[in-house]
Every structure is written in structure tokens, then in C-alpha cells.
């Protein structure tokens, strides 16, 4: 499929924040916890899809991509996270690997708070938020979506927390305020 003209070279997006959240290295079952050594290869495949289908298209268009990464397994400070840091190469990576949260809402809240503490959200042209277990199948420039618009509803996690989320920086405060701990009833792992 040809690239969507609206997204060809993702016009005007020079600085991108890519927030990766949740539990990395999950064993593949819904209730498996992260930081499972048996999940190294599947996790590397997922992260390579992020690099190939999200990061590279932005960089090919002249954008810079900063990573903000939280990893919230029940194992504090998952020692396997060095693999992501190697894949990220020389890119800016701000990380927090000590945040066992127990559910989707708390993971989202913690990630947004960490992002606000280590970055200036308004300095980015686009903020993308996704989980460690989302594998991308096609480049972002082929998505039929206007990246200048917000996507809060993605019908994931029982219609609760969208994934991936994208928001223009001018709506980041609104999005952050909408993601609160009251969403706990949506999903828990």
C-alpha cells in the first residue's frame, strides 16, 4: 500500500517523544509477569518493529526521536532492559525501571508523570505512547491517520486505554488529566 500523502515524511514533525510503558519480557500469556528470560527473543522482535516501523521513518524524514521508557514488572529494575538500550543506540533514552504498578491505569499514570518530570512535553511535535508488547506491522508513514489529531479511543484493553496513543503536545495536559487512577476497573494484570 502506498504511503498516505498526509503522512509522507510526516510534515512538520521535527521532534518526537516515544513513550514505551508497561511490562517488558512477558512470557506470552495474559497473566504472565514481565522480566521473563524466556521472552527475550519475542521482546527483541517487538522492539525491532518499533525501530523499523516507527523510529526509522521519522528519522528518515529528518525528525529526532527521544525515548521515555518505563518498565513496571513485579521484578524491580528488570536486568533485561539493557537490550532495549542497545537497540536504541545513540538516541536519547530516559528510563525508569523500578515501578511495579499492577494495572494499566497506574502504568499509564506513572509513565505520564515520569515524562513530565524528565522532559518538557510542549517541546515535542508529537508524543506517541505504546506498550512494550505492541508489534508494529507497517511503517507509520503508511498509517491512514492525521498525526496532528489526537487518538484517545483505540478500543484496546476493553475499550479503556487506547494503544498506541498519540497526542499533539498542546493536548498533553488534557490527556494526562484524563488518565487517572480511577480507570483501574478497566484492566489489571
Amino acid at each position: 500500500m502506498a504511503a498516505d500523502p498526509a503522512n509522507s515524511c510526516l510534515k512538520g514533525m521535527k521532534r518526537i517523544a516515544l513513550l514505551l510503558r508497561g511490562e517488558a519480557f512477558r512470557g506470552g500469556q495474559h497473566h504472565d509477569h514481565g522480566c521473563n528470560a524466556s521472552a527475550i527473543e519475542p521482546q527483541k522482535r517487538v522492539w525491532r518493529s518499533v525501530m523499523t516501523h516507527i523510529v526509522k521513518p521519522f528519522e528518515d524524514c529528518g525528525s529526532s526521536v527521544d525515548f521515555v521508557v518505563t518498565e513496571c514488572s513485579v521484578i524491580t529494575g528488570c536486568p533485561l532492559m539493557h537490550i532495549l538500550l542497545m537497540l536504541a543506540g545513540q538516541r536519547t533514552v530516559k528510563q525508569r525501571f523500578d515501578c511495579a504498578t499492577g494495572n494499566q491505569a497506574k502504568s499509564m499514570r506513572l509513565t505520564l508523570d515520569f515524562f513530565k518530570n524528565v522532559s518538557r512535553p510542549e517541546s515535542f511535535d508529537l508524543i506517541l505512547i505504546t506498550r512494550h508488547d505492541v508489534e508494529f506491522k507497517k511503517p507509520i508513514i503508511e498509517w491512514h491517520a492525521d498525526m496532528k489529531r489526537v487518538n484517545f479511543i483505540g478500543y484496546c484493553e476493553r475499550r479503556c486505554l487506547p494503544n498506541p496513543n498519540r497526542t499533539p503536545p498542546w493536548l498533553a495536559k488534557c490527556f494526562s488529566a484524563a488518565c487517572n487512577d480511577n480507570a483501574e476497573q478497566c484492566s489489571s494484570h
Side-chain angles (χ1 to χ4, degrees):
M1 181 178 292
D4 183 353
N7 286 336
S8 59
C9 265
L10 306 158
K11 294 178 179 39
M13 300 200 183
K14 294 297 176 198
R15 190 158 184 234
I16 313 302
L18 177 58
L19 284 60
L20 294 172
R21 67 171 196 87
E23 294 181 85
F25 301 99
R26 290 181 66 168
Q29 301 298 317
H30 179 69
H31 293 288
D32 285 351
H33 293 291
C35 204
N36 182 337
S38 69
I40 289 174
E41 289 309 313
Q43 186 65 67
K44 284 166 68 174
R45 184 186 68 244
V46 168
W47 283 338
R48 282 187 193 112
S49 82
V50 170
M51 300 304 288
T52 300
H53 296 303
I54 305 298
V55 176
K56 186 174 181 334
F58 277 120
E59 290 178 342
D60 287 350
C61 291
S63 301
S64 67
V65 179
D66 290 5
F67 287 82
V68 176
V69 183
T70 58
E71 202 290 322
C72 299
S73 298
V74 293
I75 298 173
T76 300
C78 177
L80 302 173
M81 291 302 291
H82 74 279
I83 296 169
L84 171 63
L85 301 178
M86 289 187 320
L87 288 172
Q90 299 299 312
R91 295 170 187 89
T92 299
V93 179
K94 296 185 176 156
Q95 62 199 34
R96 180 171 180 189
F97 300 157
D98 63 343
C99 56
T101 57
N103 68 46
Q104 296 293 330
K106 287 180 181 178
S107 172
M108 179 66 88
R109 174 81 271 143
L110 181 131
T111 301
L112 291 171
D113 288 346
F114 178 66
F115 177 53
K116 289 188 295 185
N117 287 332
V118 299
S119 301
R120 287 185 23 249
E122 66 278 3
S123 70
F124 293 93
D125 296 306
L126 183 67
I127 302 164
L128 288 169
I129 309 167
T130 190
R131 290 173 25 154
H132 290 287
D133 59 355
V134 174
E135 185 171 2
F136 293 91
K137 301 291 188 175
K138 66 181 185 177
I140 194 168
I141 61 171
E142 293 180 14
W143 295 8
H144 293 280
D146 182 351
M147 294 297 163
K148 291 188 180 353
R149 293 180 170 213
V150 68
N151 175 26
F152 290 142
I153 311 283
Y155 299 121
C156 182
E157 293 298 329
R158 290 187 226 138
R159 302 178 78 170
C160 217
L161 293 175
N163 194 21
N165 305 301
R166 64 184 184 274
T167 183
W170 55 272
L171 280 176
K173 284 184 183 178
C174 178
F175 181 65
S176 179
C179 292
N180 59 48
D181 288 338
N182 294 331
E184 285 182 25
Q185 68 274 10
C186 297
S187 177
S188 112
H189 293 278

